[in-house]
Amino acid sequence: MGSEHQHLLLHTEVRWLSRGKILNRLFELRQEVHMFLLEQKSAFSSLFENQDWVCRLAYLADIFDKLNDLNLSMQGFRTDELSLNSKMCAFIKKLEFWLKKVQRNSVSVFPTLDKFADDSEIDNLNTICDCIREHLTKLRDELVSYFPSIMNQDRTQDWIQNPFVEDVTSSSGLSDKLTENLIELASDRALELKFQNVTVSQFWLEVKEEYKELSEIAMSALLPFGSTYLCEVSFSAMSLIKTKHRNRMSVQNDLIIAVSDIEPRFDNILAKKQPQVSH
């Protein structure tokens, strides 16, 4: 039929990103699906003739796309609790911004719905906005109730993420001695340049010898796992290593190599092994 896509996507409970992808694909192929359902004489064909229903589909495709972006940004090896809290706080503030836009009957923040509304010249956009406003309000309330401390972030740990911000010591909550050490560190131009070229964790590890107490406090906040990403990566790696053909294999060493980003020192490993020589 000249469509960009050749098939619809299936949703699975395991692959949580698929839920947003199938909504986008279904909206893009809505005309083709409508024709197919008409040929099959399915009652679902009437849904694609209903502008109100298609608008809701477009909105769901947009909001799930935004949720997918949030989920992807919170994955990775070097995530920490402080940065994840900041991202969740930013998303909740975005929800409040989207609410204000929708309250003015504007859907410009939802590109799929906005384009469909312009192309179709929808008459009942106010009704759609009321539905969207109700959903966004519930979504915001759910996130705030699930993460009650997000919106009241403790500013006393800002110095950990960036010790070179102006007046960072005013809300550090540190003792007088440690505050003096932080002032000394923040005034070091060489360390500031180093901070710009390494990760936050690497920076605090590199200054451990000179600022031991500050480094220990910072690392105690950065070390806890912020998500289950590392566990999921380990399970995925193990499922590939330990198959039914290798079900009695000890996977400990192979798993460490698979999930670690540290390159093994093969020369040292091989030097400790006795090579098989010919007799």
Side-chain angles (χ1 to χ4, degrees):
M1 300 176 67
S3 304
E4 180 181 356
H5 307 293
Q6 297 183 3
H7 55 79
L8 292 171
L9 297 177
L10 296 179
H11 166 61
T12 61
E13 292 293 338
V14 177
R15 295 181 175 88
W16 46 265
L17 285 174
S18 64
R19 186 172 298 179
K21 292 180 179 179
I22 62 164
L23 290 169
N24 280 301
R25 180 65 61 88
L26 179 61
F27 182 82
E28 293 174 6
L29 294 176
R30 62 188 183 280
Q31 295 178 352
E32 291 83 352
V33 173
H34 180 217
M35 294 177 63
F36 172 77
L37 293 176
L38 284 175
E39 292 176 358
Q40 300 298 319
K41 298 180 181 181
S42 171
F44 291 114
S45 62
S46 60
L47 294 176
F48 292 89
E49 301 168 2
N50 187 338
Q51 277 192 340
D52 182 79
W53 188 87
V54 177
C55 283
R56 293 167 187 259
L57 174 62
Y59 164 71
L60 285 177
D62 283 328
I63 194 64
F64 269 99
D65 190 50
K66 295 180 184 296
L67 287 169
N68 285 349
D69 290 341
L70 173 66
N71 284 325
L72 285 173
S73 69
M74 300 177 74
Q75 304 299 315
F77 282 100
R78 290 179 173 83
T79 57
D80 56 79
E81 185 179 349
L82 299 180
S83 61
L84 296 185
N85 284 344
S86 299
K87 291 178 180 179
M88 182 58 67
C89 181
F91 186 79
I92 294 175
K93 290 181 179 179
K94 287 181 184 179
L95 282 173
E96 295 174 349
F97 168 68
W98 299 336
L99 267 172
K100 292 179 181 178
K101 296 285 288 187
V102 174
Q103 286 172 353
R104 296 194 294 267
N105 293 328
S106 172
V107 293
S108 59
V109 292
F110 303 111
T112 306
L113 175 59
D114 186 43
K115 187 177 185 304
F116 177 75
D118 290 341
D119 295 343
S120 305
E121 298 180 358
I122 300 173
D123 299 327
N124 61 335
L125 187 60
N126 294 345
T127 305
I128 301 299
C129 287
D130 290 339
C131 179
I132 294 175
R133 183 169 60 251
E134 180 181 358
H135 179 260
L136 289 177
T137 302
K138 290 182 178 180
L139 180 59
R140 180 198 59 190
D141 294 342
E142 280 291 323
L143 290 176
V144 171
S145 64
Y146 198 76
F147 303 101
S149 61
I150 289 293
M151 299 308 293
N152 298 318
Q153 284 188 307
D154 186 4
R155 314 306 300 186
T156 58
Q157 292 184 318
D158 286 353
W159 64 272
I160 298 176
Q161 293 180 293
N162 191 349
F164 301 98
V165 176
E166 187 176 356
D167 296 332
V168 70
T169 57
S170 60
S171 59
S172 63
L174 299 172
S175 64
D176 293 342
K177 179 183 177 181
L178 291 179
T179 301
E180 291 175 0
N181 291 340
L182 181 59
I183 293 173
E184 181 181 342
L185 183 149
S187 303
D188 193 324
R189 179 61 178 166
L191 291 179
E192 184 176 0
L193 294 174
K194 179 182 291 186
F195 180 79
Q196 297 173 1
N197 299 318
V198 298
T199 64
V200 177
S201 300
Q202 287 176 330
F203 172 79
W204 286 112
L205 286 174
E206 291 185 9
V207 301
K208 185 175 181 180
E209 292 186 5
E210 190 173 358
Y211 301 98
K212 181 179 179 181
E213 294 180 328
L214 288 177
S215 177
E216 290 178 349
I217 295 174
M219 293 309 299
S220 66
L222 295 172
L223 278 177
F225 295 121
S227 69
T228 60
Y229 179 80
L230 292 177
C231 296
E232 294 170 5
V233 169
S234 300
F235 280 120
S236 298
M238 187 174 68
S239 65
L240 294 174
I241 296 172
K242 198 175 181 70
T243 63
K244 64 179 181 180
H245 302 293
R246 308 162 73 185
N247 57 2
R248 301 186 65 180
M249 176 182 177
S250 177
V251 299
Q252 180 178 352
N253 295 330
D254 299 277
L255 190 60
I256 291 175
I257 295 176
V259 301
S260 175
D261 58 352
I262 301 175
E263 185 177 352
R265 298 178 180 176
F266 289 107
D267 293 338
N268 293 345
I269 296 175
L270 295 175
K272 298 178 182 178
K273 300 297 181 180
Q274 174 66 41
Q276 179 67 38
V277 296
S278 58
H279 297 286

